[in-house]
Amino acid sequence: AGPSLTAALPILATFEHKAALFGCGSAITALSHAGTTPHFCIAVDPNEEEFRRLKQSTFFEVPFLYSTRLHPHVFSTVNGPFGYLRSQFGDVLQLWIEEELGLKDPLIGHYLSSESISVTSMAVAAAEFLGCNPIVLVGLDMAYTKNQRYASSVHVSETPKDVSKKTSLASDRLLIKKDQKGKKVYSAVRWVMESSSLSHYAKLHPQTRFINATEGGIGFKAIPFVPLEKIAEEFIQEYD
């Protein structure tokens, strides 16, 4: 739920019966406040922040996909139905649990780089696994657009200055990059890695059309930008 998602929400509402919508992490809350119901909610983060964000959501009955990394309190915010994502990002404990439960189907996200352990990369892998084509990325700034991390409807204000004060993690280290319009913007190590990883994933799946419809942010080398309004012209047929 990058800052650019705010402007995209009214257009996304027109896709509700024309495309499969995946709401990821904080975007679940943003979509909830906009009244646009995703067909799948996906959450994987183990931190307390994930619980606080999803506690603001009003989606209780949407199919909810998760991994073993997810913070356990998140389950008190939704009723399901629940679906388990068996991913390649699991540790030894996860693999043991899956073996005990007899879960031996192919791993989702098998071709994702280990540099990208995020809810977005899991959603992209799940969409590709289900045969979605094209796959459109919206609200994925991977940068502090206008010095903010989240869309306004998430009700969490986090600036680059806040991050530099509270964390010493190498993955959160701030970088100055150029956005898609050539302007300087703050990003972070984790987001640069994610952009590179998703570009790599798109190259490995030439049969699937990947589109970046995020107006702001650092974008992707291998995924072209197309305005969401233009993409909306392609999605004409409605489905139940």
Side-chain angles (χ1 to χ4, degrees):
S4 66
L5 182 62
T6 300
L9 286 170
I11 306 172
L12 274 178
T14 66
F15 282 81
E16 199 164 339
H17 298 290
K18 298 178 180 179
L21 301 181
F22 292 75
C24 307
S26 54
I28 298 171
T29 302
L31 290 167
S32 169
H33 291 180
T36 299
T37 306
H39 302 102
F40 297 100
C41 290
I42 302 181
V44 300
D45 287 348
N47 49 45
E48 189 75 23
E49 183 185 358
E50 185 84 321
F51 168 60
R52 290 196 299 268
R53 286 188 303 233
L54 295 185
K55 194 164 65 169
Q56 301 174 29
S57 168
T58 58
F59 293 147
F60 305 115
E61 310 294 338
V62 176
F64 192 92
L65 309 180
Y66 67 95
S67 74
T68 47
R69 298 174 67 242
L70 184 63
H71 195 293
H73 290 171
V74 168
F75 291 99
S76 67
T77 69
V78 287
N79 294 327
F82 297 102
Y84 178 68
L85 282 172
R86 185 168 180 258
S87 75
Q88 71 171 55
F89 298 133
D91 54 19
V92 174
L93 178 59
Q94 175 182 315
L95 295 174
W96 176 80
I97 291 172
E98 292 173 349
E99 187 174 308
E100 290 296 302
L101 292 174
L103 302 177
K104 298 179 180 179
D105 289 318
L107 296 172
I108 292 176
H110 180 66
Y111 293 101
L112 280 169
S113 165
S114 58
E115 292 182 344
S116 178
I117 304 177
S118 72
V119 67
T120 304
S121 57
M122 285 303 306
V124 168
E128 196 280 328
F129 178 80
L130 292 173
C132 297
N133 193 6
I135 293 175
V136 183
L137 305 173
V138 185
L140 199 60
D141 294 58
M142 299 174 293
Y144 290 89
T145 303
K146 296 181 180 179
N147 278 333
Q148 289 295 325
R149 178 175 180 175
Y150 295 111
S152 57
S153 50
V154 179
H155 299 306
V156 177
S157 178
E158 185 177 272
T159 67
K161 190 175 181 180
D162 297 329
V163 174
S164 62
K165 285 181 179 179
K166 76 176 185 179
T167 183
S168 59
L169 293 174
S171 59
D172 286 329
R173 184 165 59 86
L174 296 177
L175 302 171
I176 296 179
K177 303 290 289 184
K178 286 188 177 180
D179 66 13
Q180 297 182 104
K181 297 177 181 178
K183 296 181 179 179
K184 290 183 179 180
V185 65
Y186 278 108
S187 185
V189 171
R190 69 167 73 246
W191 288 332
V192 173
M193 292 167 62
E194 183 171 12
S195 173
S196 174
S197 177
L198 287 173
S199 288
H200 178 69
Y201 186 81
K203 285 181 179 179
L204 291 176
H205 296 83
Q207 75 282 0
T208 302
R209 182 185 175 200
F210 290 84
I211 304 168
N212 177 29
T214 303
E215 287 290 341
I218 60 175
F220 308 86
K221 286 185 178 179
I223 303 177
F225 168 76
V226 180
L228 191 59
E229 299 94 330
K230 187 71 175 177
I231 296 168
E233 297 174 3
E234 298 183 31
F235 285 77
I236 300 173
Q237 186 173 348
E238 293 197 1
Y239 301 88
D240 183 354

